[in-house]
Amino acid sequence: MSRFINDSPIESPDDDRYGVTPFARSLARSIANIKTPIGTTIALHGPWGSGKSSVVNLVRRELETMGQHDLVVSEFKCWWFRGEEALALAFLQNLNAVLGAELKDKVKDLIPRLGRGLLQAGPVIGPAMAFTPAAPLATLFQGTLDFAKRFFPDGDTLESTFRKLAEVLQRQNRRFLIIIDDIDRLSPDEAIAIFRLVKSVGRLPNVIYLLVFDRTLADEAVRQKYPSEGPHFLEKIIQAGFELPAPLQSDLNSALLIAIEEICGSPAEQEIQRVMNIFYDIVVPYVTTPRHAARFQNAISITWPAIANEVSVADFIALETIRLYEPTLYHAIRENKDRVCGGSQQGNPHTRANDRFAPFLKSTDEARHETVKIAVQRLFPRLENMGYGDNFLRRWNAERRVCVEAHFDTYFRLALSDETLSSAEISKIVAGADDAETIKTAFRKAALSRRRNGTSLVPVYLDELITHARNVKEAKVGSLLRSLFEIHDEIDLGIDKDRGFGGIATTTLRYHWLIRRLTESRFTLDEKTELYLSVTQSASLGWLVDFVSSARDDYRGENVGGSDDEVLVDEASVPTLVERALHAIRAAAGDGSLLHHKDLIYILYRWRDFNDDDASEPRAWTGALLEDDDSLVILARGLTGESWSYGMGTHGLGDRVSRRSTIAQISDDTDIVDPVALRQGLERVASEGRVDEASLSAVQQFLDAWDRTKQKQRNREHA
């Protein structure tokens, strides 16, 4: 990784990524060739962040390389001090230290005497003077003019003292270069104070000043302070000015791409095109100076490790750029997850061209609106207003892009969203697909975990496995399916069922999505048939019944004639699977486990279906339960369901949210259980009250729902 973190200027030509070394060398030669300077002042101009301090370092290094032994180089760190008086004192002390170190007694007391003339007009600001702890004068200046008199005793006039100092310097065979960098950090008044000091006290023989500042900012400061002076103010002070050449955009781009690769790693070949599209459309427009580049590099070096390899590199660098340079846009994206995630605008109320960009443009500079539009469309295809299907969404999910809801939060939390898994966990599952212990342990652990919304991590694991199904080697598919088939009922939790109106995704449905993704276009029908006949031998009851029902339905009604990819097994194998399911149901009925199965009612109906719609077997089994209170409670709970509906609301306006209703999933012609005997048994349980309070409540709730169902039926008959 690059050494230049925290926006530090470079020190060596070897670190020059922007080609400023030739300029620095030319400037150094110009300085070296000034043989008899008299307060010669050279200016190095450049906008904020353009790399002026780096050029200063290169100039100093070049002067050392040139062997300019008669040139003494020092730097006055003007930004350590605040206030014009503090700057004046610090400037004089710096000058005194530089000259005194070289000329010893020859200049003794001369510069302090110069300072006396400056301070006679008024006291040094005591409490108002503010120095950083590193400032060399921080502990020296206390009090007011009394101190000035002690440090600057009465004596010669200012003019006389200045002349004596000039004569001493004139006789020297050495020159002094004083660099004053970071003038941009000062206030306008402080910056002008520096220029005035250089113009007055600083015009000494064999002294050269290199002033480093943004000319535009300096001109504005002068205009405010001295409106009549204009540019002439600086022209009277500065003999030569050099404009720092702007770095070539290609050099900036190269530096940025190197930094991205060093920090985030090389993108996969199939990702390179998108990374470069994002880079040129989003990163490049905002990163226009070396300081911008350094800031970007520093930012991603800190934020990337928190989510390394869990997000798309392209989306990561885009959002980091937006966070740094368009913070209001970044906030708007974060607050509009529902507008930007997904692949289609269908059902989205914000589909009009003017509407879809509105939240992202309202707080951004109008001059950048086109850039912002391109940026949000690059990140969120939904805003292209084209509409993308499931195939695109699956690919985006695999790429872990921000436009996929499951990954969106990860980009903004700098931690994995609880909607997704780490790449390491996914890779472990994919690589260990043929290791039953790995698969079962991972999914059992997922079933015990709880997310903020109360669900487990099982849907998250299944969704990720669906996304990466094609990465599972064909030879491992059978082992993976066998492991998952065996633990389905164990990890099929009620808390993972989608809630509310329109909720359809369950663990069982995700299993169906997964098995089709694992086998589609990878196995022939004969191979799939052999595969499923093998792995269903040890399948858990609920999943076996559901799988066999689906395989059977592939050859019934409107589904007849489906392609090999659309059906699970060949038609000839369906009877074998049906018989396997019936055997498992009968075994569970015999050992008592069927009664306590969470899918009891569903299995009872499939028991009937697999017997060619003959309900006598399940009806006989339930009939034997109707004398037992606990069994009656279980049946009541199993037959209690809920429905979600929308009403008209008030004033003819439709409801915005759905309403939940408890329903009884039974009628007079229900054949898996005797409705009359069931009703009598439940009424007896309710009246005798021998069960616990929760069971009694469940029974009463079911009976009330059953009564409502009967009343609705009577109302329809009399309508």
Side-chain angles (χ1 to χ4, degrees), residues 295-322:
R295 185 185 181 199
F296 174 83
Q297 177 180 335
N298 295 341
I300 67 173
S301 70
I302 294 170
T303 53
W304 173 255
I307 50 177
N309 304 315
E310 309 304 341
V311 295
S312 158
V313 171
D315 289 4
F316 169 76
I317 63 173
L319 284 167
E320 279 297 278
T321 303
I322 292 170

PDB file of all heavy atoms in Angstrom, residues 295-322:
ATOM      1  N   ARG A 295      -7.009  12.180  -0.537  1.00  0.00           N
ATOM      2  CA  ARG A 295      -8.164  12.053   0.355  1.00  0.00           C
ATOM      3  C   ARG A 295      -8.963  10.796   0.017  1.00  0.00           C
ATOM      4  O   ARG A 295      -9.391  10.059   0.915  1.00  0.00           O
ATOM      5  CB  ARG A 295      -9.052  13.291   0.221  1.00  0.00           C
ATOM      6  CG  ARG A 295     -10.222  13.317   1.183  1.00  0.00           C
ATOM      7  CD  ARG A 295     -11.126  14.509   0.923  1.00  0.00           C
ATOM      8  NE  ARG A 295     -12.226  14.556   1.864  1.00  0.00           N
ATOM      9  CZ  ARG A 295     -13.344  15.233   1.673  1.00  0.00           C
ATOM     10  NH1 ARG A 295     -13.504  15.946   0.562  1.00  0.00           N
ATOM     11  NH2 ARG A 295     -14.307  15.225   2.576  1.00  0.00           N
ATOM     12  N   PHE A 296      -9.154  10.550  -1.264  1.00  0.00           N
ATOM     13  CA  PHE A 296      -9.879   9.355  -1.700  1.00  0.00           C
ATOM     14  C   PHE A 296      -9.135   8.095  -1.256  1.00  0.00           C
ATOM     15  O   PHE A 296      -9.726   7.155  -0.715  1.00  0.00           O
ATOM     16  CB  PHE A 296     -10.031   9.384  -3.221  1.00  0.00           C
ATOM     17  CG  PHE A 296     -10.633   8.137  -3.806  1.00  0.00           C
ATOM     18  CD1 PHE A 296     -12.007   7.966  -3.837  1.00  0.00           C
ATOM     19  CD2 PHE A 296      -9.833   7.134  -4.335  1.00  0.00           C
ATOM     20  CE1 PHE A 296     -12.574   6.822  -4.381  1.00  0.00           C
ATOM     21  CE2 PHE A 296     -10.384   5.991  -4.880  1.00  0.00           C
ATOM     22  CZ  PHE A 296     -11.755   5.835  -4.900  1.00  0.00           C
ATOM     23  N   GLN A 297      -7.823   8.079  -1.484  1.00  0.00           N
ATOM     24  CA  GLN A 297      -7.029   6.917  -1.100  1.00  0.00           C
ATOM     25  C   GLN A 297      -7.078   6.684   0.400  1.00  0.00           C
ATOM     26  O   GLN A 297      -7.245   5.550   0.864  1.00  0.00           O
ATOM     27  CB  GLN A 297      -5.587   7.098  -1.553  1.00  0.00           C
ATOM     28  CG  GLN A 297      -4.661   5.960  -1.132  1.00  0.00           C
ATOM     29  CD  GLN A 297      -3.239   6.176  -1.597  1.00  0.00           C
ATOM     30  OE1 GLN A 297      -3.008   6.877  -2.568  1.00  0.00           O
ATOM     31  NE2 GLN A 297      -2.282   5.580  -0.902  1.00  0.00           N
ATOM     32  N   ASN A 298      -6.925   7.735   1.171  1.00  0.00           N
ATOM     33  CA  ASN A 298      -6.968   7.604   2.623  1.00  0.00           C
ATOM     34  C   ASN A 298      -8.314   7.065   3.093  1.00  0.00           C
ATOM     35  O   ASN A 298      -8.390   6.239   4.001  1.00  0.00           O
ATOM     36  CB  ASN A 298      -6.693   8.959   3.278  1.00  0.00           C
ATOM     37  CG  ASN A 298      -5.285   9.454   3.001  1.00  0.00           C
ATOM     38  OD1 ASN A 298      -4.413   8.680   2.636  1.00  0.00           O
ATOM     39  ND2 ASN A 298      -5.074  10.748   3.157  1.00  0.00           N
ATOM     40  N   ALA A 299      -9.381   7.551   2.460  1.00  0.00           N
ATOM     41  CA  ALA A 299     -10.728   7.126   2.858  1.00  0.00           C
ATOM     42  C   ALA A 299     -10.940   5.637   2.612  1.00  0.00           C
ATOM     43  O   ALA A 299     -11.377   4.905   3.496  1.00  0.00           O
ATOM     44  CB  ALA A 299     -11.773   7.952   2.110  1.00  0.00           C
ATOM     45  N   ILE A 300     -10.628   5.182   1.395  1.00  0.00           N
ATOM     46  CA  ILE A 300     -10.906   3.766   1.088  1.00  0.00           C
ATOM     47  C   ILE A 300      -9.964   2.837   1.842  1.00  0.00           C
ATOM     48  O   ILE A 300     -10.309   1.681   2.109  1.00  0.00           O
ATOM     49  CB  ILE A 300     -10.875   3.481  -0.426  1.00  0.00           C
ATOM     50  CG1 ILE A 300      -9.466   3.653  -1.005  1.00  0.00           C
ATOM     51  CG2 ILE A 300     -11.880   4.350  -1.165  1.00  0.00           C
ATOM     52  CD1 ILE A 300      -9.366   3.213  -2.476  1.00  0.00           C
ATOM     53  N   SER A 301      -8.771   3.339   2.210  1.00  0.00           N
ATOM     54  CA  SER A 301      -7.859   2.491   2.979  1.00  0.00           C
ATOM     55  C   SER A 301      -8.414   2.207   4.368  1.00  0.00           C
ATOM     56  O   SER A 301      -8.072   1.203   4.992  1.00  0.00           O
ATOM     57  CB  SER A 301      -6.485   3.158   3.093  1.00  0.00           C
ATOM     58  OG  SER A 301      -6.533   4.293   3.926  1.00  0.00           O
ATOM     59  N   ILE A 302      -9.292   3.086   4.849  1.00  0.00           N
ATOM     60  CA  ILE A 302      -9.900   2.907   6.173  1.00  0.00           C
ATOM     61  C   ILE A 302     -11.223   2.154   6.078  1.00  0.00           C
ATOM     62  O   ILE A 302     -11.522   1.270   6.884  1.00  0.00           O
ATOM     63  CB  ILE A 302     -10.111   4.276   6.850  1.00  0.00           C
ATOM     64  CG1 ILE A 302      -8.750   4.916   7.143  1.00  0.00           C
ATOM     65  CG2 ILE A 302     -10.926   4.143   8.135  1.00  0.00           C
ATOM     66  CD1 ILE A 302      -8.841   6.357   7.579  1.00  0.00           C
ATOM     67  N   THR A 303     -12.040   2.478   5.075  1.00  0.00           N
ATOM     68  CA  THR A 303     -13.379   1.895   5.006  1.00  0.00           C
ATOM     69  C   THR A 303     -13.405   0.514   4.355  1.00  0.00           C
ATOM     70  O   THR A 303     -14.250  -0.311   4.706  1.00  0.00           O
ATOM     71  CB  THR A 303     -14.331   2.830   4.240  1.00  0.00           C
ATOM     72  OG1 THR A 303     -13.747   3.149   2.956  1.00  0.00           O
ATOM     73  CG2 THR A 303     -14.550   4.118   5.012  1.00  0.00           C
ATOM     74  N   TRP A 304     -12.512   0.251   3.407  1.00  0.00           N
ATOM     75  CA  TRP A 304     -12.569  -1.031   2.699  1.00  0.00           C
ATOM     76  C   TRP A 304     -12.368  -2.239   3.617  1.00  0.00           C
ATOM     77  O   TRP A 304     -13.113  -3.221   3.500  1.00  0.00           O
ATOM     78  CB  TRP A 304     -11.558  -1.049   1.554  1.00  0.00           C
ATOM     79  CG  TRP A 304     -11.445  -2.400   0.891  1.00  0.00           C
ATOM     80  CD1 TRP A 304     -10.445  -3.315   1.019  1.00  0.00           C
ATOM     81  CD2 TRP A 304     -12.404  -3.003  -0.004  1.00  0.00           C
ATOM     82  NE1 TRP A 304     -10.711  -4.437   0.270  1.00  0.00           N
ATOM     83  CE2 TRP A 304     -11.906  -4.274  -0.361  1.00  0.00           C
ATOM     84  CE3 TRP A 304     -13.628  -2.580  -0.518  1.00  0.00           C
ATOM     85  CZ2 TRP A 304     -12.589  -5.127  -1.229  1.00  0.00           C
ATOM     86  CZ3 TRP A 304     -14.310  -3.437  -1.380  1.00  0.00           C
ATOM     87  CH2 TRP A 304     -13.794  -4.690  -1.728  1.00  0.00           C
ATOM     88  N   PRO A 305     -11.378  -2.239   4.531  1.00  0.00           N
ATOM     89  CA  PRO A 305     -11.171  -3.442   5.333  1.00  0.00           C
ATOM     90  C   PRO A 305     -12.406  -3.901   6.101  1.00  0.00           C
ATOM     91  O   PRO A 305     -12.562  -5.094   6.368  1.00  0.00           O
ATOM     92  CB  PRO A 305     -10.040  -3.027   6.295  1.00  0.00           C
ATOM     93  CG  PRO A 305      -9.289  -1.983   5.543  1.00  0.00           C
ATOM     94  CD  PRO A 305     -10.358  -1.208   4.806  1.00  0.00           C
ATOM     95  N   ALA A 306     -13.299  -2.972   6.452  1.00  0.00           N
ATOM     96  CA  ALA A 306     -14.490  -3.341   7.228  1.00  0.00           C
ATOM     97  C   ALA A 306     -15.447  -4.210   6.426  1.00  0.00           C
ATOM     98  O   ALA A 306     -16.200  -5.003   6.999  1.00  0.00           O
ATOM     99  CB  ALA A 306     -15.205  -2.082   7.717  1.00  0.00           C
ATOM    100  N   ILE A 307     -15.443  -4.058   5.091  1.00  0.00           N
ATOM    101  CA  ILE A 307     -16.390  -4.812   4.265  1.00  0.00           C
ATOM    102  C   ILE A 307     -15.677  -5.462   3.086  1.00  0.00           C
ATOM    103  O   ILE A 307     -16.285  -5.736   2.055  1.00  0.00           O
ATOM    104  CB  ILE A 307     -17.539  -3.910   3.759  1.00  0.00           C
ATOM    105  CG1 ILE A 307     -16.987  -2.628   3.125  1.00  0.00           C
ATOM    106  CG2 ILE A 307     -18.493  -3.573   4.875  1.00  0.00           C
ATOM    107  CD1 ILE A 307     -18.065  -1.721   2.550  1.00  0.00           C
ATOM    108  N   ALA A 308     -14.379  -5.711   3.243  1.00  0.00           N
ATOM    109  CA  ALA A 308     -13.581  -6.253   2.145  1.00  0.00           C
ATOM    110  C   ALA A 308     -14.213  -7.528   1.595  1.00  0.00           C
ATOM    111  O   ALA A 308     -14.592  -8.432   2.343  1.00  0.00           O
ATOM    112  CB  ALA A 308     -12.159  -6.535   2.631  1.00  0.00           C
ATOM    113  N   ASN A 309     -14.339  -7.561   0.282  1.00  0.00           N
ATOM    114  CA  ASN A 309     -14.839  -8.720  -0.453  1.00  0.00           C
ATOM    115  C   ASN A 309     -16.316  -9.029  -0.198  1.00  0.00           C
ATOM    116  O   ASN A 309     -16.812 -10.056  -0.661  1.00  0.00           O
ATOM    117  CB  ASN A 309     -14.001  -9.968  -0.136  1.00  0.00           C
ATOM    118  CG  ASN A 309     -12.538  -9.761  -0.414  1.00  0.00           C
ATOM    119  OD1 ASN A 309     -12.177  -9.215  -1.456  1.00  0.00           O
ATOM    120  ND2 ASN A 309     -11.682 -10.160   0.513  1.00  0.00           N
ATOM    121  N   GLU A 310     -17.005  -8.150   0.531  1.00  0.00           N
ATOM    122  CA  GLU A 310     -18.430  -8.371   0.781  1.00  0.00           C
ATOM    123  C   GLU A 310     -19.306  -7.492  -0.093  1.00  0.00           C
ATOM    124  O   GLU A 310     -20.524  -7.594  -0.039  1.00  0.00           O
ATOM    125  CB  GLU A 310     -18.762  -8.101   2.258  1.00  0.00           C
ATOM    126  CG  GLU A 310     -17.871  -8.815   3.268  1.00  0.00           C
ATOM    127  CD  GLU A 310     -17.844 -10.316   3.073  1.00  0.00           C
ATOM    128  OE1 GLU A 310     -18.750 -10.854   2.416  1.00  0.00           O
ATOM    129  OE2 GLU A 310     -16.886 -10.953   3.548  1.00  0.00           O
ATOM    130  N   VAL A 311     -18.693  -6.621  -0.865  1.00  0.00           N
ATOM    131  CA  VAL A 311     -19.446  -5.704  -1.725  1.00  0.00           C
ATOM    132  C   VAL A 311     -18.761  -5.627  -3.077  1.00  0.00           C
ATOM    133  O   VAL A 311     -17.619  -6.054  -3.245  1.00  0.00           O
ATOM    134  CB  VAL A 311     -19.523  -4.289  -1.100  1.00  0.00           C
ATOM    135  CG1 VAL A 311     -20.315  -4.301   0.188  1.00  0.00           C
ATOM    136  CG2 VAL A 311     -18.131  -3.724  -0.861  1.00  0.00           C
ATOM    137  N   SER A 312     -19.456  -5.078  -4.032  1.00  0.00           N
ATOM    138  CA  SER A 312     -18.879  -4.836  -5.353  1.00  0.00           C
ATOM    139  C   SER A 312     -17.838  -3.724  -5.252  1.00  0.00           C
ATOM    140  O   SER A 312     -18.116  -2.647  -4.716  1.00  0.00           O
ATOM    141  CB  SER A 312     -19.986  -4.433  -6.334  1.00  0.00           C
ATOM    142  OG  SER A 312     -19.462  -3.731  -7.442  1.00  0.00           O
ATOM    143  N   VAL A 313     -16.645  -3.964  -5.777  1.00  0.00           N
ATOM    144  CA  VAL A 313     -15.596  -2.939  -5.756  1.00  0.00           C
ATOM    145  C   VAL A 313     -16.059  -1.693  -6.505  1.00  0.00           C
ATOM    146  O   VAL A 313     -15.843  -0.558  -6.069  1.00  0.00           O
ATOM    147  CB  VAL A 313     -14.283  -3.480  -6.354  1.00  0.00           C
ATOM    148  CG1 VAL A 313     -13.261  -2.350  -6.525  1.00  0.00           C
ATOM    149  CG2 VAL A 313     -13.704  -4.567  -5.468  1.00  0.00           C
ATOM    150  N   ALA A 314     -16.711  -1.902  -7.648  1.00  0.00           N
ATOM    151  CA  ALA A 314     -17.177  -0.766  -8.448  1.00  0.00           C
ATOM    152  C   ALA A 314     -18.146   0.098  -7.647  1.00  0.00           C
ATOM    153  O   ALA A 314     -18.001   1.327  -7.587  1.00  0.00           O
ATOM    154  CB  ALA A 314     -17.843  -1.268  -9.730  1.00  0.00           C
ATOM    155  N   ASP A 315     -19.124  -0.526  -7.023  1.00  0.00           N
ATOM    156  CA  ASP A 315     -20.104   0.239  -6.250  1.00  0.00           C
ATOM    157  C   ASP A 315     -19.471   0.874  -5.023  1.00  0.00           C
ATOM    158  O   ASP A 315     -19.825   1.983  -4.618  1.00  0.00           O
ATOM    159  CB  ASP A 315     -21.269  -0.665  -5.829  1.00  0.00           C
ATOM    160  CG  ASP A 315     -22.146  -1.044  -7.014  1.00  0.00           C
ATOM    161  OD1 ASP A 315     -21.806  -0.661  -8.145  1.00  0.00           O
ATOM    162  OD2 ASP A 315     -23.162  -1.722  -6.809  1.00  0.00           O
ATOM    163  N   PHE A 316     -18.503   0.180  -4.428  1.00  0.00           N
ATOM    164  CA  PHE A 316     -17.824   0.716  -3.248  1.00  0.00           C
ATOM    165  C   PHE A 316     -17.081   2.007  -3.573  1.00  0.00           C
ATOM    166  O   PHE A 316     -17.236   3.013  -2.867  1.00  0.00           O
ATOM    167  CB  PHE A 316     -16.855  -0.329  -2.696  1.00  0.00           C
ATOM    168  CG  PHE A 316     -15.917   0.205  -1.651  1.00  0.00           C
ATOM    169  CD1 PHE A 316     -16.356   0.451  -0.362  1.00  0.00           C
ATOM    170  CD2 PHE A 316     -14.590   0.472  -1.961  1.00  0.00           C
ATOM    171  CE1 PHE A 316     -15.492   0.964   0.601  1.00  0.00           C
ATOM    172  CE2 PHE A 316     -13.719   0.974  -1.010  1.00  0.00           C
ATOM    173  CZ  PHE A 316     -14.172   1.217   0.273  1.00  0.00           C
ATOM    174  N   ILE A 317     -16.278   2.004  -4.636  1.00  0.00           N
ATOM    175  CA  ILE A 317     -15.508   3.220  -4.945  1.00  0.00           C
ATOM    176  C   ILE A 317     -16.430   4.346  -5.390  1.00  0.00           C
ATOM    177  O   ILE A 317     -16.156   5.524  -5.134  1.00  0.00           O
ATOM    178  CB  ILE A 317     -14.413   2.953  -5.998  1.00  0.00           C
ATOM    179  CG1 ILE A 317     -15.016   2.522  -7.338  1.00  0.00           C
ATOM    180  CG2 ILE A 317     -13.419   1.923  -5.484  1.00  0.00           C
ATOM    181  CD1 ILE A 317     -13.987   2.406  -8.452  1.00  0.00           C
ATOM    182  N   ALA A 318     -17.557   4.001  -6.023  1.00  0.00           N
ATOM    183  CA  ALA A 318     -18.512   5.037  -6.426  1.00  0.00           C
ATOM    184  C   ALA A 318     -19.136   5.699  -5.211  1.00  0.00           C
ATOM    185  O   ALA A 318     -19.202   6.928  -5.111  1.00  0.00           O
ATOM    186  CB  ALA A 318     -19.589   4.425  -7.317  1.00  0.00           C
ATOM    187  N   LEU A 319     -19.589   4.890  -4.264  1.00  0.00           N
ATOM    188  CA  LEU A 319     -20.253   5.446  -3.088  1.00  0.00           C
ATOM    189  C   LEU A 319     -19.275   6.174  -2.166  1.00  0.00           C
ATOM    190  O   LEU A 319     -19.646   7.150  -1.513  1.00  0.00           O
ATOM    191  CB  LEU A 319     -20.979   4.338  -2.328  1.00  0.00           C
ATOM    192  CG  LEU A 319     -22.287   3.898  -2.987  1.00  0.00           C
ATOM    193  CD1 LEU A 319     -22.788   2.603  -2.387  1.00  0.00           C
ATOM    194  CD2 LEU A 319     -23.347   4.979  -2.867  1.00  0.00           C
ATOM    195  N   GLU A 320     -18.023   5.729  -2.112  1.00  0.00           N
ATOM    196  CA  GLU A 320     -17.033   6.457  -1.326  1.00  0.00           C
ATOM    197  C   GLU A 320     -16.763   7.830  -1.941  1.00  0.00           C
ATOM    198  O   GLU A 320     -16.606   8.822  -1.228  1.00  0.00           O
ATOM    199  CB  GLU A 320     -15.731   5.652  -1.229  1.00  0.00           C
ATOM    200  CG  GLU A 320     -15.770   4.574  -0.177  1.00  0.00           C
ATOM    201  CD  GLU A 320     -15.945   5.152   1.218  1.00  0.00           C
ATOM    202  OE1 GLU A 320     -14.958   5.584   1.831  1.00  0.00           O
ATOM    203  OE2 GLU A 320     -17.089   5.192   1.715  1.00  0.00           O
ATOM    204  N   THR A 321     -16.710   7.886  -3.263  1.00  0.00           N
ATOM    205  CA  THR A 321     -16.530   9.180  -3.934  1.00  0.00           C
ATOM    206  C   THR A 321     -17.706  10.099  -3.622  1.00  0.00           C
ATOM    207  O   THR A 321     -17.534  11.281  -3.299  1.00  0.00           O
ATOM    208  CB  THR A 321     -16.408   8.982  -5.457  1.00  0.00           C
ATOM    209  OG1 THR A 321     -15.319   8.100  -5.730  1.00  0.00           O
ATOM    210  CG2 THR A 321     -16.179  10.311  -6.157  1.00  0.00           C
ATOM    211  N   ILE A 322     -18.903   9.568  -3.716  1.00  0.00           N
ATOM    212  CA  ILE A 322     -20.100  10.358  -3.432  1.00  0.00           C
ATOM    213  C   ILE A 322     -20.119  10.798  -1.971  1.00  0.00           C
ATOM    214  O   ILE A 322     -20.469  11.936  -1.654  1.00  0.00           O
ATOM    215  CB  ILE A 322     -21.357   9.545  -3.790  1.00  0.00           C
ATOM    216  CG1 ILE A 322     -21.439   9.359  -5.315  1.00  0.00           C
ATOM    217  CG2 ILE A 322     -22.623  10.225  -3.272  1.00  0.00           C
ATOM    218  CD1 ILE A 322     -22.500   8.366  -5.757  1.00  0.00           C
TER     219      ILE A 322
END
